[in-house]
Amino acid sequence: MTRLDRYILAQLLWVFGFFSLVLVSVYWVNRAVRLFDQLISDGQPMSVFLEFTALSLPMLIRTVLPISAFVAATYVTLGLLRNSEMSVLQAAGISPFRIARPVVVFGLIVTAFLTLLMHFLIPEARAELARRQVEVAQNLTASLLQDGVFQHPAEGITFFINEITEDGTMRGIYLSDARSQLQRIDYTARTALIVPEATGPKLVMIDGQAQVHDQRSGRLSVTGFGDFTYDLSSMAGPAGRGRSVQELTSSELMSPTPALLAETRATEAQFRFELVSRFVDGFAAVAAALIGFSALMAGGFSRLGFWKEIVLAVVLMALVQSLTNTLAGPAMRQASLAWLGAIPLALAVAASMGLIGWATRRRRVKP
């Protein structure tokens, strides 16, 4: 690399590191506040909270890095224009395409890190986070075994046990489920047991009744039962779910077996789209950096400011993201359309090259 490349690349990496740290901190604090309210209110120790926030960091970093690459490229290019460094470079005969080389190298460096995240760290983090969530859910179910205390294990759920015998039998059960806006169901039972199953723990209530309060009509319906099974996974989370597509390794996505399809309850199209996305999303940093650079280069130096070029760059980024969301639906429904996930990236790079070409023609000296 020449001294020019190293000069621009050093600025890009420094600004990228700064904005990445700031954005990750903001996202992390927002996520941590919600996790803190959820876990600490359920009686979980601080170590569980720290573990969950650490496991969520790879997903947060994956979201932030393309944004940071765009901000860094825009900020550094804006600085070069304001300080007339860009004018000096072009006066020396260096074309905008040549100046874009360190921007592309910068994008590829971020892409390498994103690829590592997408193919290795994020699937592992998602799988470990899901496993720990199941363990916490099981601990939450065990915490329900407290007699003489009104408990609220989930929003809209009230649970009370009058007495717990030495053999684990619960006596005098009251369970109120008010999560629905249309009705509230109050269960009472003489005795009950918690039965673990593969799909999650079940509360088996014996010799009781269910009172259904219709919120619209105000009517009360009472139904007696000899035994009734209530799914506790609705408040603690299912314990026996299979892995999701996002938790699978890239090698598993390349050759989905019938067992994997059954475990994830996903289609072959979703498998293929997830695999394509892992490659495409990695190169999103190159597209983001080029958009930020090319939009400002197309406008050139102006004493009136660069707000129009900055707005153009932001609009282009928003259009690329909107197109990505629009094409995700068809690509996830039909396996042969998985390639649609690469269209927004290709269009972003093509638009950036067009803007740089426009900047080159504008600065060409006419004979």
Side-chain angles (χ1 to χ4, degrees), residues 222-302:
V222 181
T223 303
F225 56 81
D227 59 84
F228 181 83
T229 301
Y230 185 87
D231 189 2
L232 291 178
S233 63
S234 59
M235 54 178 92
R241 71 164 186 85
R243 291 179 296 172
S244 65
V245 176
Q246 292 78 16
E247 297 171 27
L248 300 178
T249 62
S250 297
S251 59
E252 291 175 316
L253 293 174
M254 290 179 184
S255 55
T257 62
L260 280 177
L261 294 174
E263 179 186 2
T264 58
R265 299 180 182 178
T267 63
E268 186 177 350
Q270 291 173 313
F271 269 67
R272 189 167 299 180
F273 178 76
E274 174 66 20
L275 181 62
V276 171
S277 297
R278 291 186 183 183
F279 286 99
V280 171
D281 291 352
F283 285 91
V286 178
L290 283 175
I291 287 176
F293 171 79
S294 62
L296 286 169
M297 288 297 296
F301 178 81
S302 174

Side-chain angles (χ1 to χ4, degrees), residues 21 73 80 115 118 124 151 172 199 253 294 323 332 340 361:
L21 181 61
L80 294 174
T115 301
M118 297 295 298
E124 288 291 334
Q151 301 177 76
T199 56
L253 293 174
S294 62
L323 184 61
M332 294 180 67
L340 291 176
R361 287 194 297 272

Side-chain angles (χ1 to χ4, degrees), residues 44 66 68 83 127 131 135 139 170 183 192-193 198 222 267 272 277 294 300 310 352 355 358:
Q44 300 298 325
S68 298
N83 297 330
R131 185 185 67 82
E135 294 179 358
N139 294 336
M170 295 174 283
Q183 63 181 14
L193 294 169
V222 181
T267 63
R272 189 167 299 180
S277 297
S294 62
I310 295 175
S352 300
L355 290 173
W358 169 259

